[in-house]
Amino acid sequence: MDRSRIIVIAVVLALLGAMVPIAAMLHFSWVLAVQQEHDRLQLFASRVIARADISLNDATGALRQVDQFTGIRCSADHIARMRQLTINTRSIEEMGYFEDGLLKCTSWGPTKERVAQTPPDFTTASGVAITARMQPLASQDHPLMALQYKDHNVLVDPVRFVDVIVDPGVQLALATEKGILLGALNGPDPARIEKMIAGPGNGIDDGHLFATARGIGWLAVATEPESQILDSVRRQQLLLLPLGAFIAAFIIGMVVWLSRRRLSPLGELQIAVRKREFIVHYQPIVELRTGNCIGAEALVRWKRPDGSLVRPDLFIPLAEESGLITQITDQIVALVIFDLNRLLVTDRSIHVAINLSAADVSTARVLPVIEKALQHTGIQARQIWLEATERGFVDIDSARSTLIRARDLGHTVAIDDFGTGYSSLSHLEGLPLDALKIDKSFIDTISTNSATSSVTPHIIGMAKALNLRIIAEGVETQAQADYLVEHDVEYGQGWLFAKPMPAAEFIAYCRQFKSPG
């Protein structure tokens, strides 16, 4: 994934990280406020059920008491008894006695008008017949509720059934389970109440919040306009928005931190290793006296998704420091075998040198990797040279063990960039080496008057004394090549012969400057 895509994704994630928590807290503020209001309305509805039960029980008790009167109906004593019960029972407005379906007398006295008994809307389990709405003679503009038990009835103001103290804006209604409206407080719309009764227990309908409560035969509804909860929403927002802002800041911080990691050199290198963005270029190694190509050094290149190449000196130190170098080495081994399998099988005089990291030299980890990779390829182990720099010889005992094992497997072992590290003559004498590569910095001093120009012949002499094959690195001029030939240096590599090149070009070069079989 390139930098631009990472940046775009990071910006999108940061925006989402900023907006989603805030939006979520705003939503939760609304949800919590609605839940609290529903709980509050549920409490009012439950109080209505309790108030209705009390009113019904009071009225039923009065009816049962008057039914026990044994005197003459509609006598002065009977009317006095009804009047007494009416006065003493808060929910009753009037009590009456019916005979043959007609009202004969009330708690106010005998009745002269012909008033027929109204049919009930429903009957309770206790045998009380209830008519939800009727118009009494004394108050035509205010309908009352009639409760009938045997021959007596009582008239009750429906408000008595919903006589509950509520907050401003709250409307109450009481209905039967069949939806017959019995009483209301603060004038809720009957059509809306009917919809709420038919709906779920709590909810929002037509801009109104509502909650219901059920009793034995009753259904109470408490409702209020949706606008009533704005203060509650603001209170919830004051509590939740700081939390949302903290979560948003945390998410943005994580996005920035992860983006920096991905955009850091180490992050990009990790991506490159995971996506196998490395390729191998091959720099020919030639026999200096004949110019024949005898092999090549495998040089890793990091090919970015945009096609640009990153020089090894820009990422190899970081790879070694981070431990990614072992994975890169494994990929190089696989690429070399893929690129040059046919060439190495058809021409056994050709070899490829692979550089080992200090970690591989000290642990020998890479040797089983190479051995497994060579299986069933036809490539011989002697065609894979292993080069180790002096940095790998800090732990001389571990290095010696690794080099011995490598030679036992058939590999040629060379010390690379000699003279730039920590090796001494005693180290060289104690290590199982086959070849020595003179670093370019010493080759550059040939035919110059620099202070280090005299070092090169000493290195050559030391290598010959140890019977090591010598490869000169970084040969760029014919004068350097002539000097090396005069001093019996066998092999060289450098821009004088060829630059590092892709596999196909190296194969063509190798065939053009083919060494004798």
Side-chain angles (χ1 to χ4, degrees):
M1 186 181 297
D2 56 27
R3 293 178 65 89
S4 60
R5 288 185 62 190
I6 292 176
I7 292 173
V8 170
I9 292 175
V11 170
V12 172
L13 290 177
L15 290 175
L16 289 175
M19 293 187 296
V20 170
I22 300 298
M25 292 304 106
L26 290 173
H27 174 69
F28 289 149
S29 298
W30 171 260
V31 171
L32 289 175
V34 169
Q35 181 61 50
Q36 287 185 353
E37 288 303 301
H38 276 147
D39 292 343
R40 192 169 67 93
L41 293 175
Q42 180 81 43
L43 178 61
F44 288 137
S46 299
R47 289 176 180 176
V48 169
I49 293 294
R51 176 72 259 175
D53 288 341
I54 291 173
S55 298
L56 177 63
N57 290 336
D58 288 346
T60 301
L63 287 171
R64 291 185 183 277
Q65 289 185 51
V66 76
D67 182 62
Q68 295 175 1
F69 181 77
T70 57
I72 300 172
R73 303 306 190 193
C74 290
S75 65
D77 291 340
H78 182 216
I79 294 174
R81 180 59 175 158
M82 289 193 295
R83 184 179 301 119
Q84 180 187 25
L85 289 172
T86 300
I87 294 172
N88 293 337
T89 306
R90 181 171 178 270
S91 59
I92 296 177
E93 302 293 330
E94 181 181 314
M95 182 177 289
Y97 170 74
F98 283 85
E99 190 175 279
D100 297 328
L102 296 176
L103 181 63
K104 190 172 182 181
C105 61
T106 71
S107 52
W108 307 114
T111 302
K112 298 180 181 179
E113 294 85 355
R114 179 182 176 84
V115 179
Q117 186 175 355
T118 57
D121 293 314
F122 68 99
T123 302
T124 68
S126 60
V128 177
I130 297 178
T131 302
R133 286 287 184 272
M134 66 167 294
Q135 296 292 340
L137 295 177
S139 180
Q140 294 291 333
D141 59 341
H142 184 64
L144 298 177
M145 182 189 305
L147 283 71
Q148 181 85 25
Y149 181 72
K150 295 184 179 179
D151 293 331
H152 291 86
N153 84 341
V154 293
L155 298 181
V156 178
D157 189 339
V159 174
R160 299 291 187 186
F161 279 68
V162 291
D163 189 12
V164 175
I165 298 174
V166 295
D167 296 336
V170 176
Q171 301 171 328
L172 301 176
L174 179 70
T176 68
E177 291 181 339
K178 295 182 179 180
I180 300 172
L181 186 62
L182 300 178
L185 182 68
N186 297 334
D189 181 20
R192 185 184 307 123
I193 294 298
E194 185 176 348
K195 289 174 59 179
M196 294 175 181
I197 291 173
N202 299 334
I204 301 177
D205 181 77
D206 194 23
H208 283 73
L209 280 79
F210 69 91
T212 60
R214 292 183 180 274
I216 301 177
W218 310 112
L219 181 65
V221 179
T223 180
E224 68 177 354
E226 197 173 344
S227 59
Q228 291 286 109
I229 68 169
L230 294 181
D231 288 340
S232 179
V233 170
R234 294 189 188 99
R235 288 194 298 271
Q236 294 297 333
Q237 289 175 349
L238 289 175
L239 294 175
L240 294 179
L241 284 181
L243 175 62
F246 173 79
I247 295 174
F250 176 77
I251 293 175
I252 292 173
M254 289 297 297
V255 170
V256 171
W257 180 70
L258 291 173
S259 300
R260 285 180 175 176
R261 286 194 62 186
R262 296 293 294 271
L263 293 173
S264 68
L266 178 58
E268 291 190 331
L269 186 59
Q270 290 172 332
I271 295 173
V273 170
R274 186 170 64 251
K275 298 181 69 173
R276 307 182 74 88
E277 293 179 356
F278 299 98
I279 62 173
V280 177
H281 282 185
Y282 302 88
Q283 186 168 36
I285 300 174
V286 302
E287 190 176 30
L288 291 174
R289 291 187 181 277
T290 64
N292 292 326
C293 178
I294 64 153
E297 180 181 1
L299 301 172
V300 65
R301 298 290 186 266
W302 177 4
K303 187 174 183 180
R304 303 292 293 273
D306 61 2
S308 62
L309 295 178
V310 181
R311 300 196 316 269
D313 59 299
L314 297 180
F315 67 87
I316 290 297
L318 179 59
E320 291 179 332
E321 179 184 346
S322 64
L324 293 172
I325 189 65
T326 57
Q327 298 180 59
I328 295 175
T329 300
D330 293 350
Q331 293 184 26
I332 293 171
V333 171
L335 288 169
V336 166
I337 293 174
F338 178 80
D339 290 341
L340 302 182
N341 195 340
R342 178 177 294 182
L343 174 66
L344 295 174
V345 170
T346 57
D347 190 346
R348 297 297 183 183
S349 66
I350 299 298
H351 77 269
V352 178
I354 297 176
N355 292 284
L356 300 184
S357 67
D360 285 326
V361 173
S362 63
T363 64
R365 178 207 64 86
V366 75
L367 296 180
V369 174
I370 297 175
E371 185 177 14
K372 182 177 180 181
L374 291 179
Q375 290 178 357
H376 311 300
T377 64
I379 301 172
Q380 296 178 358
R382 66 180 181 84
Q383 294 178 275
I384 304 298
W385 288 26
L386 303 179
E387 297 184 1
T389 63
E390 294 177 79
R391 293 193 306 276
F393 302 149
V394 175
D395 185 349
I396 194 69
D397 294 330
S398 297
R400 183 185 298 109
S401 175
T402 299
L403 299 184
I404 290 173
R405 184 176 174 188
R407 295 183 76 192
D408 290 343
L409 291 172
H411 299 294
T412 296
V413 178
I415 181 171
D416 193 15
D417 300 334
F418 181 76
T420 61
Y422 313 103
S423 294
S424 64
L425 179 59
S426 62
H427 282 171
L428 287 181
E429 291 176 335
L431 291 172
L433 299 171
D434 300 295
L436 181 147
K437 301 186 76 172
I438 305 174
D439 187 69
K440 180 181 184 299
S441 62
F442 297 106
I443 302 301
D444 289 341
T445 64
I446 292 175
S447 301
T448 68
N449 294 322
S450 67
T452 58
S453 61
S454 61
V455 176
T456 305
H458 288 291
I459 295 175
I460 295 172
M462 183 174 59
K464 287 186 176 297
L466 295 173
N467 295 319
L468 301 177
R469 282 176 276 186
I470 306 173
I471 302 98
E473 295 183 296
V475 180
E476 296 182 352
T477 67
Q478 188 60 49
Q480 293 171 345
D482 293 341
Y483 175 91
L484 294 168
V485 170
E486 290 174 6
H487 288 75
D488 296 324
V489 174
E490 299 100 321
Y491 310 112
Q493 68 183 90
W495 285 20
L496 176 63
F497 312 109
K499 297 179 180 181
M501 58 188 71
E505 295 181 21
F506 168 70
I507 293 171
Y509 178 93
C510 192
R511 288 171 178 167
Q512 181 180 357
F513 299 95
K514 180 176 173 57
S515 62

